[in-house]
Amino acid sequence: MSVETSSEQAVRGAIQMHSKRVWRFGLALSGASDVADDLLQSTCLRALERHHQVTSFERLDSWLITICRSIWLNEVRARSVRKAQALSVTPEAELIAAGPDAETNIFAAEVFTQVMQLPEAQRETVMLVFVEGYSYREAAALLEVPIGTIMSRLSNARQKLKTVMQHEAADAVRRSGK
Amino acid sequence: MKFSDETLTAYLEGKLDEAEARAIESAVEADPELEQRLMALDPFAPVVQAVFERVPAETPAVDLPEHVPVAPVRPAGGGLRLLAVAASVAVVAVSATYWAMRPKPLGWAAQAAIYQSLYTPDTIASLDSSPQALDAQFAMAEEQLGRSLNRAALEALPGGELKRAQILSFKGKPLVQVVFADEQGQPFAFCVIRQGEGAPTRELKEAVLSGLATATWARDGYGYMLIGAKDQTDLAGQLDILTTSFPG
């Protein structure tokens, strides 16, 4: 019984600790903040229902992400993608909290938009590796693809992100030359 | 096969031809250390991370019931559901194998050094370092950390002009980066992370990380790091003061 209680506590703790991370992953999957809200909520409820399945308290973050992705693929994706096409949803750059100055904010909004315009498979990979810091191997296990696929998705994403990064580099050069 | 940092960087920038790129990718599959090197050199990751770690701005609300009935495995769904359960078990097993083999993740100090290595004099030249701005930044940072940042000591740090205190986070733990300009206008930083009670105490350790001289120590649930402007920076004078001001 005490094992049950502590696994439930561990899951509640993990939800609290990783809710931003799961939300961001939901955003990467769906491209829409309202869907990310729903995905986070469903993921947390599902995780809590299944706390007894937790055997190791390490890597509960990965476990939550796996649950989130399975809910997305099996229950939400079909209707959300239809909705997104109908509304031609654009990425919501206003989600970014204001940074220290206007230039930083403009650059952040450009990076945000570029990432959100990547195809879904590249977006989820970029989110796990670049943002959340999972290794290629861990991302491959989470997304159930070979490591090579992770690396080629990242290469393709870098090609597309290059433009905005180069702008930033050019701006920095211009500023320093003034 | 050994790959130089230059080759790995060229790969990350998409400058290698197909065959060279494939060679690196297949080497990474078998070599977690190479994977870690490659990840640490990736110039895109820290930039994308800096943008997205501020999203969402607030911790999203989750509505959790007090008591949750344990979900029974419902046979009502029939074969498909059981198949799904079997598949998810298989996935967990495969994932567990991957995780058992996973390379050691980068620690907070390595990540902080990578981030700091992207700073240039221009990064800090345009910051608002007015007393009002610093007041607000320090108040927020100290609230996140749950401890004082000894601002007076930081302002008096020899050879440094206080530019900004910024809240970051590493694996859900609040991390504050206080950035300074040295006498040549080069950026250097002092970082504090709240690691939580029971985190191990660590003696002062100096290392060059991401091309910058660094020193780290940890006491009483907090980790500290001084990151110099260059790999050869002499940190001793500042460390004397910081280790006295931040004994824990």
Side-chain angles (χ1 to χ4, degrees), chain B residues 126-167:
Chain B
S126 55
L127 293 178
D128 176 8
S129 309
S130 63
Q132 296 85 340
L134 289 171
D135 283 347
Q137 292 162 11
F138 271 78
M140 273 169 67
E142 291 179 339
E143 191 193 325
Q144 288 276 322
L145 284 176
R147 60 157 297 154
S148 157
L149 276 170
N150 294 337
R151 179 166 159 197
L154 294 179
E155 283 184 323
L157 205 61
E161 184 197 342
L162 188 55
K163 301 298 281 187
R164 182 181 65 190
Q166 180 175 231
I167 299 168

Side-chain angles (χ1 to χ4, degrees), chain A residues 56-92:
Chain A
S56 157
F57 296 160
E58 278 185 41
R59 311 307 302 192
L60 286 179
D61 53 335
S62 311
W63 183 61
L64 291 174
I65 281 179
T66 310
I67 294 175
C68 178
R69 185 158 179 274
S70 122
I71 293 175
W72 163 250
L73 291 178
N74 298 326
E75 298 167 32
V76 183
R77 188 172 191 270
R79 79 185 134 88
S80 294
V81 170
R82 267 201 305 280
K83 190 178 118 195
Q85 279 166 349
L87 299 175
S88 76
V89 171
T90 46
E92 301 160 66

Side-chain angles (χ1 to χ4, degrees), chain A:
Chain A
M1 194 60 213
S2 65
V3 173
E4 286 242 340
T5 317
S6 68
S7 72
E8 182 181 333
Q9 281 165 353
V11 170
R12 284 181 189 272
I15 287 170
Q16 212 168 22
M17 187 181 292
H18 303 301
S19 62
K20 278 193 177 186
R21 174 180 291 221
V22 174
W23 191 92
R24 276 196 293 261
F25 188 64
L27 181 73
L29 292 172
S30 65
S33 60
D34 56 338
V35 182
D37 289 341
D38 293 347
L39 277 172
L40 172 64
Q41 179 68 30
S42 317
T43 300
C44 295
L45 284 178
R46 187 81 42 99
L48 209 48
E49 284 169 8
R50 296 185 178 175
H51 69 81
H52 60 287
Q53 294 177 0
V54 170
T55 50
S56 157
F57 296 160
E58 278 185 41
R59 311 307 302 192
L60 286 179
D61 53 335
S62 311
W63 183 61
L64 291 174
I65 281 179
T66 310
I67 294 175
C68 178
R69 185 158 179 274
S70 122
I71 293 175
W72 163 250
L73 291 178
N74 298 326
E75 298 167 32
V76 183
R77 188 172 191 270
R79 79 185 134 88
S80 294
V81 170
R82 267 201 305 280
K83 190 178 118 195
Q85 279 166 349
L87 299 175
S88 76
V89 171
T90 46
E92 301 160 66
E94 69 271 18
L95 283 169
I96 304 172
D101 59 69
E103 264 178 61
T104 315
N105 289 340
I106 292 167
F107 176 58
E110 276 176 23
V111 172
F112 182 89
T113 306
Q114 285 286 333
V115 170
M116 295 312 290
Q117 283 174 350
L118 295 172
E120 185 185 322
Q122 288 174 30
R123 218 162 52 205
E124 63 179 355
T125 309
V126 161
M127 191 63 81
L128 291 181
V129 176
F130 287 0
V131 180
E132 311 299 354
Y134 292 99
S135 69
Y136 301 157
R137 239 154 272 264
E138 290 171 306
L142 275 169
L143 302 178
E144 300 165 53
V145 294
I147 300 187
T149 305
I150 296 294
M151 295 181 73
S152 72
R153 284 179 186 175
L154 292 176
S155 291
N156 290 331
R158 283 191 204 97
Q159 286 299 322
K160 290 171 196 150
L161 295 176
K162 224 180 202 171
T163 343
V164 55
M165 303 284 179
Q166 276 162 352
H167 283 165
E168 168 66 2
D171 286 349
V173 169
R174 217 172 298 134
R175 280 201 301 277
S176 65
K178 77 189 160 199

Side-chain angles (χ1 to χ4, degrees), chain B residues 69-152:
Chain B
V70 170
V73 178
R74 277 167 292 175
L80 268 183
R81 181 176 293 276
L82 286 177
L83 205 61
V85 170
S88 67
V89 169
V91 167
V92 168
V94 171
S95 309
T97 315
Y98 273 111
W99 284 324
M101 290 163 33
R102 74 186 192 274
K104 211 164 154 245
L106 289 178
W108 77 274
Q111 294 268 16
I114 292 170
Y115 177 64
Q116 184 65 29
S117 72
L118 297 173
Y119 272 54
T120 71
D122 280 327
T123 318
I124 53 172
S126 55
L127 293 178
D128 176 8
S129 309
S130 63
Q132 296 85 340
L134 289 171
D135 283 347
Q137 292 162 11
F138 271 78
M140 273 169 67
E142 291 179 339
E143 191 193 325
Q144 288 276 322
L145 284 176
R147 60 157 297 154
S148 157
L149 276 170
N150 294 337
R151 179 166 159 197

